[in-house]
mmCIF file of all heavy atoms in Angstrom:
data_model
loop_
_atom_site.group_PDB
_atom_site.id
_atom_site.type_symbol
_atom_site.label_atom_id
_atom_site.label_comp_id
_atom_site.label_asym_id
_atom_site.label_seq_id
_atom_site.Cartn_x
_atom_site.Cartn_y
_atom_site.Cartn_z
ATOM 1 N N MET D 1 91.692 121.861 105.696
ATOM 2 C CA MET D 1 92.245 120.600 105.212
ATOM 3 C C MET D 1 91.845 120.347 103.805
ATOM 4 O O MET D 1 90.737 120.846 103.376
ATOM 5 C CB MET D 1 91.820 119.415 106.111
ATOM 6 C CG MET D 1 90.420 118.995 106.035
ATOM 7 S SD MET D 1 89.926 117.824 107.357
ATOM 8 C CE MET D 1 89.950 116.346 106.456
ATOM 9 N N THR D 2 92.542 119.633 103.022
ATOM 10 C CA THR D 2 92.218 119.348 101.700
ATOM 11 C C THR D 2 91.779 117.811 101.612
ATOM 12 O O THR D 2 92.539 116.922 102.109
ATOM 13 C CB THR D 2 93.374 119.504 100.753
ATOM 14 O OG1 THR D 2 93.697 120.910 100.801
ATOM 15 C CG2 THR D 2 93.049 119.204 99.333
ATOM 16 N N LEU D 3 90.695 117.517 101.021
ATOM 17 C CA LEU D 3 90.211 116.141 100.966
ATOM 18 C C LEU D 3 90.820 115.517 99.670
ATOM 19 O O LEU D 3 90.835 116.150 98.608
ATOM 20 C CB LEU D 3 88.679 116.135 100.837
ATOM 21 C CG LEU D 3 87.919 116.723 102.027
ATOM 22 C CD1 LEU D 3 86.450 116.639 101.698
ATOM 23 C CD2 LEU D 3 88.360 116.049 103.280
ATOM 24 N N GLU D 4 91.299 114.273 99.778
ATOM 25 C CA GLU D 4 91.880 113.599 98.668
ATOM 26 C C GLU D 4 90.852 113.043 97.736
ATOM 27 O O GLU D 4 91.165 112.630 96.583
ATOM 28 C CB GLU D 4 92.825 112.463 99.192
ATOM 29 C CG GLU D 4 94.045 113.141 99.926
ATOM 30 C CD GLU D 4 94.998 112.078 100.394
ATOM 31 O OE1 GLU D 4 94.900 110.877 99.928
ATOM 32 O OE2 GLU D 4 95.868 112.388 101.108
ATOM 33 N N ARG D 5 89.589 112.940 98.179
ATOM 34 C CA ARG D 5 88.530 112.399 97.336
ATOM 35 C C ARG D 5 87.261 113.008 97.776
ATOM 36 O O ARG D 5 87.157 113.524 98.913
ATOM 37 C CB ARG D 5 88.507 110.876 97.468
ATOM 38 C CG ARG D 5 88.129 110.359 98.956
ATOM 39 C CD ARG D 5 87.994 108.809 98.996
ATOM 40 N NE ARG D 5 87.687 108.363 100.305
ATOM 41 C CZ ARG D 5 86.517 108.373 100.848
ATOM 42 N NH1 ARG D 5 85.473 108.819 100.232
ATOM 43 N NH2 ARG D 5 86.397 107.951 102.144
ATOM 44 N N PRO D 6 86.229 112.918 97.048
ATOM 45 C CA PRO D 6 84.932 113.475 97.471
ATOM 46 C C PRO D 6 84.425 112.646 98.630
ATOM 47 O O PRO D 6 84.470 111.491 98.783
ATOM 48 C CB PRO D 6 83.989 113.219 96.303
ATOM 49 C CG PRO D 6 84.894 113.040 95.087
ATOM 50 C CD PRO D 6 86.100 112.449 95.627
ATOM 51 N N MET D 7 83.999 113.488 99.662
ATOM 52 C CA MET D 7 83.454 112.886 100.948
ATOM 53 C C MET D 7 82.184 113.546 101.268
ATOM 54 O O MET D 7 81.865 114.702 100.932
ATOM 55 C CB MET D 7 84.537 112.983 102.114
ATOM 56 C CG MET D 7 85.750 112.337 101.868
ATOM 57 S SD MET D 7 86.994 112.640 103.062
ATOM 58 C CE MET D 7 86.681 111.258 104.242
ATOM 59 N N ASN D 8 81.310 112.804 102.203
ATOM 60 C CA ASN D 8 80.139 113.498 102.766
ATOM 61 C C ASN D 8 80.533 113.913 104.122
ATOM 62 O O ASN D 8 81.600 113.620 104.605
ATOM 63 C CB ASN D 8 78.953 112.595 102.634
ATOM 64 C CG ASN D 8 78.990 111.369 103.457
ATOM 65 O OD1 ASN D 8 79.775 111.305 104.515
ATOM 66 N ND2 ASN D 8 78.239 110.333 103.214
ATOM 67 N N VAL D 9 79.640 114.605 104.813
ATOM 68 C CA VAL D 9 79.919 115.160 106.171
ATOM 69 C C VAL D 9 80.268 114.085 107.141
ATOM 70 O O VAL D 9 81.218 114.171 107.904
ATOM 71 C CB VAL D 9 78.705 115.970 106.585
ATOM 72 C CG1 VAL D 9 78.937 116.485 108.086
ATOM 73 C CG2 VAL D 9 78.497 117.159 105.664
ATOM 74 N N GLN D 10 79.451 113.003 107.118
ATOM 75 C CA GLN D 10 79.713 111.927 108.047
ATOM 76 C C GLN D 10 81.183 111.328 107.904
ATOM 77 O O GLN D 10 81.844 111.074 108.888
ATOM 78 C CB GLN D 10 78.711 110.808 107.894
ATOM 79 C CG GLN D 10 78.946 109.712 108.885
ATOM 80 C CD GLN D 10 77.770 108.683 108.950
ATOM 81 O OE1 GLN D 10 76.627 109.098 108.658
ATOM 82 N NE2 GLN D 10 78.020 107.489 109.372
ATOM 83 N N GLU D 11 81.507 111.088 106.734
ATOM 84 C CA GLU D 11 82.949 110.599 106.435
ATOM 85 C C GLU D 11 84.035 111.543 106.953
ATOM 86 O O GLU D 11 84.963 111.108 107.517
ATOM 87 C CB GLU D 11 83.144 110.347 104.893
ATOM 88 C CG GLU D 11 82.277 109.238 104.387
ATOM 89 C CD GLU D 11 82.383 109.175 102.835
ATOM 90 O OE1 GLU D 11 82.301 110.208 102.175
ATOM 91 O OE2 GLU D 11 82.557 108.047 102.303
ATOM 92 N N VAL D 12 83.842 112.842 106.808
ATOM 93 C CA VAL D 12 84.813 113.822 107.249
ATOM 94 C C VAL D 12 84.777 113.792 108.831
ATOM 95 O O VAL D 12 85.870 113.841 109.480
ATOM 96 C CB VAL D 12 84.465 115.316 106.756
ATOM 97 C CG1 VAL D 12 85.301 116.320 107.511
ATOM 98 C CG2 VAL D 12 84.626 115.289 105.285
ATOM 99 N N ALA D 13 83.560 113.738 109.470
ATOM 100 C CA ALA D 13 83.515 113.690 110.902
ATOM 101 C C ALA D 13 84.298 112.446 111.414
ATOM 102 O O ALA D 13 85.157 112.591 112.404
ATOM 103 C CB ALA D 13 82.023 113.637 111.320
ATOM 104 N N ILE D 14 84.069 111.303 110.875
ATOM 105 C CA ILE D 14 84.728 110.074 111.227
ATOM 106 C C ILE D 14 86.296 110.280 111.036
ATOM 107 O O ILE D 14 87.050 109.845 111.943
ATOM 108 C CB ILE D 14 84.190 108.896 110.584
ATOM 109 C CG1 ILE D 14 82.804 108.574 111.091
ATOM 110 C CG2 ILE D 14 85.100 107.634 110.812
ATOM 111 C CD1 ILE D 14 81.960 107.613 110.269
ATOM 112 N N PHE D 15 86.675 110.793 109.932
ATOM 113 C CA PHE D 15 88.103 110.970 109.615
ATOM 114 C C PHE D 15 88.707 111.862 110.718
ATOM 115 O O PHE D 15 89.893 111.691 111.056
ATOM 116 C CB PHE D 15 88.191 111.640 108.194
ATOM 117 C CG PHE D 15 89.569 111.894 107.902
ATOM 118 C CD1 PHE D 15 90.493 110.906 107.395
ATOM 119 C CD2 PHE D 15 90.149 113.222 107.996
ATOM 120 C CE1 PHE D 15 91.782 111.262 107.085
ATOM 121 C CE2 PHE D 15 91.452 113.553 107.585
ATOM 122 C CZ PHE D 15 92.273 112.548 107.153
ATOM 123 N N LEU D 16 87.938 112.837 111.228
ATOM 124 C CA LEU D 16 88.454 113.856 112.207
ATOM 125 C C LEU D 16 88.415 113.179 113.671
ATOM 126 O O LEU D 16 88.775 113.857 114.597
ATOM 127 C CB LEU D 16 87.741 115.120 112.187
ATOM 128 C CG LEU D 16 87.931 115.928 110.919
ATOM 129 C CD1 LEU D 16 86.979 117.062 110.924
ATOM 130 C CD2 LEU D 16 89.354 116.323 110.814
ATOM 131 N N GLY D 17 87.833 111.989 113.804
ATOM 132 C CA GLY D 17 87.754 111.382 115.057
ATOM 133 C C GLY D 17 86.510 111.825 115.824
ATOM 134 O O GLY D 17 86.385 111.524 117.051
ATOM 135 N N LEU D 18 85.516 112.343 115.179
ATOM 136 C CA LEU D 18 84.248 112.733 115.796
ATOM 137 C C LEU D 18 83.228 111.618 115.749
ATOM 138 O O LEU D 18 83.243 110.851 114.711
ATOM 139 C CB LEU D 18 83.727 114.028 115.140
ATOM 140 C CG LEU D 18 84.588 115.225 115.145
ATOM 141 C CD1 LEU D 18 83.924 116.353 114.323
ATOM 142 C CD2 LEU D 18 84.846 115.658 116.605
ATOM 143 N N ASP D 19 82.373 111.476 116.717
ATOM 144 C CA ASP D 19 81.314 110.569 116.769
ATOM 145 C C ASP D 19 80.149 111.211 116.140
ATOM 146 O O ASP D 19 79.617 112.117 116.731
ATOM 147 C CB ASP D 19 81.024 110.033 118.122
ATOM 148 C CG ASP D 19 79.890 108.974 118.186
ATOM 149 O OD1 ASP D 19 79.242 108.809 117.156
ATOM 150 O OD2 ASP D 19 79.705 108.446 119.306
ATOM 151 N N PRO D 20 79.614 110.764 114.928
ATOM 152 C CA PRO D 20 78.515 111.446 114.317
ATOM 153 C C PRO D 20 77.304 111.530 115.230
ATOM 154 O O PRO D 20 76.484 112.436 115.102
ATOM 155 C CB PRO D 20 78.201 110.518 113.079
ATOM 156 C CG PRO D 20 79.508 109.990 112.774
ATOM 157 C CD PRO D 20 80.165 109.720 114.120
ATOM 158 N N ASP D 21 77.141 110.519 116.196
ATOM 159 C CA ASP D 21 75.991 110.622 117.065
ATOM 160 C C ASP D 21 76.028 111.738 118.108
ATOM 161 O O ASP D 21 75.083 112.084 118.702
ATOM 162 C CB ASP D 21 75.838 109.278 117.836
ATOM 163 C CG ASP D 21 75.413 108.175 116.876
ATOM 164 O OD1 ASP D 21 74.760 108.412 115.939
ATOM 165 O OD2 ASP D 21 75.819 107.007 117.171
ATOM 166 N N GLU D 22 77.284 112.343 118.320
ATOM 167 C CA GLU D 22 77.433 113.391 119.227
ATOM 168 C C GLU D 22 77.445 114.832 118.585
ATOM 169 O O GLU D 22 77.667 115.782 119.266
ATOM 170 C CB GLU D 22 78.620 113.160 120.027
ATOM 171 C CG GLU D 22 78.674 111.902 120.874
ATOM 172 C CD GLU D 22 80.013 111.792 121.699
ATOM 173 O OE1 GLU D 22 80.916 112.537 121.581
ATOM 174 O OE2 GLU D 22 80.045 110.718 122.373
ATOM 175 N N ILE D 23 77.101 114.813 117.258
ATOM 176 C CA ILE D 23 77.089 116.102 116.572
ATOM 177 C C ILE D 23 75.620 116.604 116.562
ATOM 178 O O ILE D 23 74.711 115.892 116.121
ATOM 179 C CB ILE D 23 77.585 115.958 115.119
ATOM 180 C CG1 ILE D 23 78.985 115.506 115.047
ATOM 181 C CG2 ILE D 23 77.371 117.249 114.364
ATOM 182 C CD1 ILE D 23 79.558 115.129 113.807
ATOM 183 N N GLY D 24 75.402 117.875 117.024
ATOM 184 C CA GLY D 24 74.048 118.370 117.198
ATOM 185 C C GLY D 24 73.669 119.188 115.855
ATOM 186 O O GLY D 24 72.509 119.180 115.455
ATOM 187 N N LEU D 25 74.680 119.910 115.315
ATOM 188 C CA LEU D 25 74.347 120.883 114.250
ATOM 189 C C LEU D 25 75.590 120.852 113.303
ATOM 190 O O LEU D 25 76.675 120.809 113.759
ATOM 191 C CB LEU D 25 74.113 122.232 114.756
ATOM 192 C CG LEU D 25 73.788 123.234 113.733
ATOM 193 C CD1 LEU D 25 72.410 123.043 113.120
ATOM 194 C CD2 LEU D 25 73.759 124.709 114.331
ATOM 195 N N ILE D 26 75.288 120.872 112.002
ATOM 196 C CA ILE D 26 76.370 120.862 110.986
ATOM 197 C C ILE D 26 76.006 122.102 110.067
ATOM 198 O O ILE D 26 74.866 122.267 109.716
ATOM 199 C CB ILE D 26 76.348 119.651 110.191
ATOM 200 C CG1 ILE D 26 76.518 118.423 111.037
ATOM 201 C CG2 ILE D 26 77.398 119.676 109.121
ATOM 202 C CD1 ILE D 26 76.068 117.087 110.456
ATOM 203 N N SER D 27 77.038 122.855 109.697
ATOM 204 C CA SER D 27 76.863 123.820 108.698
ATOM 205 C C SER D 27 78.001 123.822 107.578
ATOM 206 O O SER D 27 79.114 123.492 107.954
ATOM 207 C CB SER D 27 76.779 125.277 109.298
ATOM 208 O OG SER D 27 78.040 125.676 109.776
ATOM 209 N N ILE D 28 77.537 124.036 106.369
ATOM 210 C CA ILE D 28 78.462 124.141 105.265
ATOM 211 C C ILE D 28 78.250 125.547 104.711
ATOM 212 O O ILE D 28 77.255 125.849 104.288
ATOM 213 C CB ILE D 28 78.240 123.047 104.206
ATOM 214 C CG1 ILE D 28 78.429 121.644 104.804
ATOM 215 C CG2 ILE D 28 79.199 123.355 103.017
ATOM 216 C CD1 ILE D 28 78.109 120.547 103.882
ATOM 217 N N ASN D 29 79.371 126.370 104.876
ATOM 218 C CA ASN D 29 79.349 127.721 104.296
ATOM 219 C C ASN D 29 78.071 128.556 104.965
ATOM 220 O O ASN D 29 77.410 129.196 104.205
ATOM 221 C CB ASN D 29 79.290 127.764 102.853
ATOM 222 C CG ASN D 29 80.560 127.327 102.243
ATOM 223 O OD1 ASN D 29 81.673 127.514 102.781
ATOM 224 N ND2 ASN D 29 80.437 126.714 101.086
ATOM 225 N N GLY D 30 77.806 128.242 106.265
ATOM 226 C CA GLY D 30 76.808 128.955 106.943
ATOM 227 C C GLY D 30 75.369 128.421 106.786
ATOM 228 O O GLY D 30 74.384 128.964 107.240
ATOM 229 N N ILE D 31 75.256 127.354 105.981
ATOM 230 C CA ILE D 31 73.920 126.789 105.718
ATOM 231 C C ILE D 31 73.837 125.467 106.498
ATOM 232 O O ILE D 31 74.681 124.593 106.362
ATOM 233 C CB ILE D 31 73.698 126.522 104.272
ATOM 234 C CG1 ILE D 31 73.781 127.881 103.526
ATOM 235 C CG2 ILE D 31 72.351 125.790 104.009
ATOM 236 C CD1 ILE D 31 73.849 127.748 102.007
ATOM 237 N N GLN D 32 72.713 125.239 107.258
ATOM 238 C CA GLN D 32 72.532 123.987 108.013
ATOM 239 C C GLN D 32 72.542 122.866 107.122
ATOM 240 O O GLN D 32 71.865 122.877 106.050
ATOM 241 C CB GLN D 32 71.278 124.121 108.816
ATOM 242 C CG GLN D 32 71.108 122.973 109.745
ATOM 243 C CD GLN D 32 69.944 123.132 110.750
ATOM 244 O OE1 GLN D 32 69.318 124.205 110.871
ATOM 245 N NE2 GLN D 32 69.588 122.041 111.351
ATOM 246 N N SER D 33 73.205 121.801 107.466
ATOM 247 C CA SER D 33 73.486 120.697 106.585
ATOM 248 C C SER D 33 73.225 119.423 107.333
ATOM 249 O O SER D 33 73.009 119.462 108.588
ATOM 250 C CB SER D 33 74.878 120.741 106.008
ATOM 251 O OG SER D 33 75.064 121.950 105.311
ATOM 252 N N GLU D 34 73.269 118.241 106.652
ATOM 253 C CA GLU D 34 73.006 116.918 107.216
ATOM 254 C C GLU D 34 74.276 116.062 107.042
ATOM 255 O O GLU D 34 75.103 116.331 106.194
ATOM 256 C CB GLU D 34 71.821 116.355 106.505
ATOM 257 C CG GLU D 34 70.616 117.029 106.670
ATOM 258 C CD GLU D 34 70.067 117.201 108.107
ATOM 259 O OE1 GLU D 34 70.265 116.253 108.964
ATOM 260 O OE2 GLU D 34 69.410 118.197 108.459
ATOM 261 N N LEU D 35 74.259 114.931 107.727
ATOM 262 C CA LEU D 35 75.465 114.021 107.705
ATOM 263 C C LEU D 35 75.748 113.507 106.276
ATOM 264 O O LEU D 35 76.875 113.203 105.881
ATOM 265 C CB LEU D 35 75.314 112.899 108.677
ATOM 266 C CG LEU D 35 75.589 113.217 110.120
ATOM 267 C CD1 LEU D 35 75.063 112.060 111.001
ATOM 268 C CD2 LEU D 35 76.936 113.597 110.396
ATOM 269 N N ASP D 36 74.649 113.273 105.440
ATOM 270 C CA ASP D 36 74.771 112.736 104.172
ATOM 271 C C ASP D 36 75.063 113.700 103.025
ATOM 272 O O ASP D 36 75.270 113.353 101.888
ATOM 273 C CB ASP D 36 73.602 111.846 103.816
ATOM 274 C CG ASP D 36 72.284 112.602 103.766
ATOM 275 O OD1 ASP D 36 72.228 113.750 104.279
ATOM 276 O OD2 ASP D 36 71.375 112.062 103.200
ATOM 277 N N ASP D 37 75.177 115.020 103.414
ATOM 278 C CA ASP D 37 75.496 115.976 102.390
ATOM 279 C C ASP D 37 76.922 115.959 102.003
ATOM 280 O O ASP D 37 77.803 115.579 102.797
ATOM 281 C CB ASP D 37 75.213 117.463 102.959
ATOM 282 C CG ASP D 37 73.786 117.795 103.129
ATOM 283 O OD1 ASP D 37 72.897 117.003 102.586
ATOM 284 O OD2 ASP D 37 73.391 118.762 103.879
ATOM 285 N N SER D 38 77.183 116.166 100.692
ATOM 286 C CA SER D 38 78.625 116.136 100.268
ATOM 287 C C SER D 38 79.266 117.429 100.678
ATOM 288 O O SER D 38 78.724 118.464 100.849
ATOM 289 C CB SER D 38 78.651 116.014 98.752
ATOM 290 O OG SER D 38 77.935 117.044 98.061
ATOM 291 N N VAL D 39 80.576 117.286 100.793
ATOM 292 C CA VAL D 39 81.406 118.442 101.288
ATOM 293 C C VAL D 39 82.090 119.010 99.964
ATOM 294 O O VAL D 39 83.016 118.414 99.467
ATOM 295 C CB VAL D 39 82.485 117.961 102.269
ATOM 296 C CG1 VAL D 39 83.373 119.110 102.679
ATOM 297 C CG2 VAL D 39 81.766 117.385 103.482
ATOM 298 N N PRO D 40 81.784 120.225 99.618
ATOM 299 C CA PRO D 40 82.284 120.874 98.354
ATOM 300 C C PRO D 40 83.741 121.334 98.710
ATOM 301 O O PRO D 40 84.063 121.650 99.832
ATOM 302 C CB PRO D 40 81.368 121.980 98.057
ATOM 303 C CG PRO D 40 80.664 122.297 99.272
ATOM 304 C CD PRO D 40 80.665 121.037 100.120
ATOM 305 N N PRO D 41 84.666 121.290 97.660
ATOM 306 C CA PRO D 41 86.047 121.790 97.862
ATOM 307 C C PRO D 41 85.970 123.281 98.315
ATOM 308 O O PRO D 41 85.200 124.047 97.805
ATOM 309 C CB PRO D 41 86.618 121.692 96.431
ATOM 310 C CG PRO D 41 85.741 120.739 95.686
ATOM 311 C CD PRO D 41 84.340 120.889 96.296
ATOM 312 N N GLY D 42 86.927 123.586 99.194
ATOM 313 C CA GLY D 42 87.040 125.053 99.551
ATOM 314 C C GLY D 42 85.991 125.519 100.502
ATOM 315 O O GLY D 42 85.953 126.730 100.753
ATOM 316 N N CYS D 43 85.038 124.614 101.053
ATOM 317 C CA CYS D 43 84.003 125.120 101.892
ATOM 318 C C CYS D 43 84.472 125.315 103.328
ATOM 319 O O CYS D 43 85.541 124.814 103.745
ATOM 320 C CB CYS D 43 82.875 124.157 101.823
ATOM 321 S SG CYS D 43 83.067 122.585 102.827
ATOM 322 N N ARG D 44 83.621 125.874 104.114
ATOM 323 C CA ARG D 44 83.789 125.967 105.586
ATOM 324 C C ARG D 44 82.778 125.081 106.228
ATOM 325 O O ARG D 44 81.586 125.290 106.188
ATOM 326 C CB ARG D 44 83.538 127.417 106.018
ATOM 327 C CG ARG D 44 83.885 127.528 107.555
ATOM 328 C CD ARG D 44 83.742 128.888 107.996
ATOM 329 N NE ARG D 44 83.935 128.942 109.475
ATOM 330 C CZ ARG D 44 84.302 129.998 110.206
ATOM 331 N NH1 ARG D 44 84.554 131.140 109.537
ATOM 332 N NH2 ARG D 44 84.509 129.857 111.407
ATOM 333 N N LEU D 45 83.300 123.904 106.759
ATOM 334 C CA LEU D 45 82.431 122.918 107.413
ATOM 335 C C LEU D 45 82.556 123.081 108.901
ATOM 336 O O LEU D 45 83.708 123.049 109.441
ATOM 337 C CB LEU D 45 82.922 121.582 106.899
ATOM 338 C CG LEU D 45 82.321 120.271 107.641
ATOM 339 C CD1 LEU D 45 80.810 120.295 107.382
ATOM 340 C CD2 LEU D 45 82.980 118.989 107.147
ATOM 341 N N CYS D 46 81.462 123.245 109.598
ATOM 342 C CA CYS D 46 81.459 123.437 111.081
ATOM 343 C C CYS D 46 80.638 122.380 111.777
ATOM 344 O O CYS D 46 79.469 122.069 111.259
ATOM 345 C CB CYS D 46 80.934 124.827 111.457
ATOM 346 S SG CYS D 46 81.889 126.168 110.789
ATOM 347 N N PHE D 47 81.077 121.834 112.818
ATOM 348 C CA PHE D 47 80.398 120.966 113.653
ATOM 349 C C PHE D 47 80.110 121.490 115.063
ATOM 350 O O PHE D 47 80.977 122.231 115.598
ATOM 351 C CB PHE D 47 81.196 119.684 113.892
ATOM 352 C CG PHE D 47 81.487 118.872 112.674
ATOM 353 C CD1 PHE D 47 82.715 119.014 112.043
ATOM 354 C CD2 PHE D 47 80.545 117.992 112.068
ATOM 355 C CE1 PHE D 47 83.029 118.215 110.939
ATOM 356 C CE2 PHE D 47 80.839 117.338 110.943
ATOM 357 C CZ PHE D 47 82.115 117.414 110.392
ATOM 358 N N PHE D 48 78.943 121.463 115.491
ATOM 359 C CA PHE D 48 78.484 121.975 116.827
ATOM 360 C C PHE D 48 77.902 120.776 117.722
ATOM 361 O O PHE D 48 77.164 120.017 117.168
ATOM 362 C CB PHE D 48 77.475 123.025 116.683
ATOM 363 C CG PHE D 48 77.967 124.177 115.852
ATOM 364 C CD1 PHE D 48 77.770 124.222 114.492
ATOM 365 C CD2 PHE D 48 78.662 125.259 116.485
ATOM 366 C CE1 PHE D 48 78.159 125.317 113.665
ATOM 367 C CE2 PHE D 48 79.088 126.358 115.726
ATOM 368 C CZ PHE D 48 78.904 126.347 114.285
ATOM 369 N N PRO D 49 78.167 120.902 119.013
ATOM 370 C CA PRO D 49 77.518 119.758 119.847
ATOM 371 C C PRO D 49 76.070 120.084 119.997
ATOM 372 O O PRO D 49 75.532 121.223 119.654
ATOM 373 C CB PRO D 49 78.231 120.108 121.168
ATOM 374 C CG PRO D 49 78.603 121.567 121.147
ATOM 375 C CD PRO D 49 78.931 121.873 119.745
ATOM 376 N N PRO D 50 75.333 119.178 120.525
ATOM 377 C CA PRO D 50 73.949 119.287 120.761
ATOM 378 C C PRO D 50 73.633 120.497 121.697
ATOM 379 O O PRO D 50 74.536 120.668 122.644
ATOM 380 C CB PRO D 50 73.442 117.975 121.427
ATOM 381 C CG PRO D 50 74.486 117.025 121.002
ATOM 382 C CD PRO D 50 75.715 117.742 120.890
ATOM 383 N N MET D 51 72.735 121.220 121.432
ATOM 384 C CA MET D 51 72.414 122.531 122.244
ATOM 385 C C MET D 51 70.978 122.443 122.759
ATOM 386 O O MET D 51 70.179 121.861 122.120
ATOM 387 C CB MET D 51 72.595 123.751 121.435
ATOM 388 C CG MET D 51 74.021 123.963 120.976
ATOM 389 S SD MET D 51 74.174 125.449 119.986
ATOM 390 C CE MET D 51 74.768 124.798 118.415
ATOM 391 N N SER D 52 70.739 123.070 123.850
ATOM 392 C CA SER D 52 69.332 123.195 124.317
ATOM 393 C C SER D 52 69.160 124.700 124.766
ATOM 394 O O SER D 52 70.079 125.434 124.873
ATOM 395 C CB SER D 52 69.171 122.301 125.535
ATOM 396 O OG SER D 52 69.896 122.683 126.609
ATOM 397 N N GLY D 53 67.962 125.027 124.883
ATOM 398 C CA GLY D 53 67.637 126.398 125.248
ATOM 399 C C GLY D 53 66.343 126.763 124.485
ATOM 400 O O GLY D 53 65.731 126.078 123.808
ATOM 401 N N GLY D 54 66.060 128.065 124.610
ATOM 402 C CA GLY D 54 64.821 128.529 123.970
ATOM 403 C C GLY D 54 64.714 129.940 123.802
ATOM 404 O O GLY D 54 65.204 130.836 123.451
#
């Protein structure tokens, strides 16, 4: 998708209909990221549910 304006991860999640409280892990271009990180143009943004294990 192409963003019409600069957005952070949380804004994109909400735009996609995701609840930020239900996101366990975020990565931008394979690097673990946070909700307040900005989303660069052309990146690969991935959301993962909370995970457990060891």
Side-chain angles (χ1 to χ4, degrees):
M1 72 186 260
T2 301
L3 303 178
E4 295 182 12
R5 62 177 179 82
M7 298 176 89
N8 66 24
V9 173
Q10 182 168 332
E11 292 171 315
V12 173
I14 292 169
F15 179 79
L16 294 173
L18 301 173
D19 181 350
D21 292 331
E22 295 180 2
I23 297 171
L25 180 70
I26 302 159
S27 72
I28 298 175
N29 293 329
I31 298 171
Q32 188 170 345
S33 303
E34 301 294 330
L35 286 169
D36 61 344
D37 289 343
S38 60
V39 178
C43 75
R44 182 176 179 158
L45 173 61
C46 299
F47 297 101
F48 299 91
M51 299 178 238
S52 63

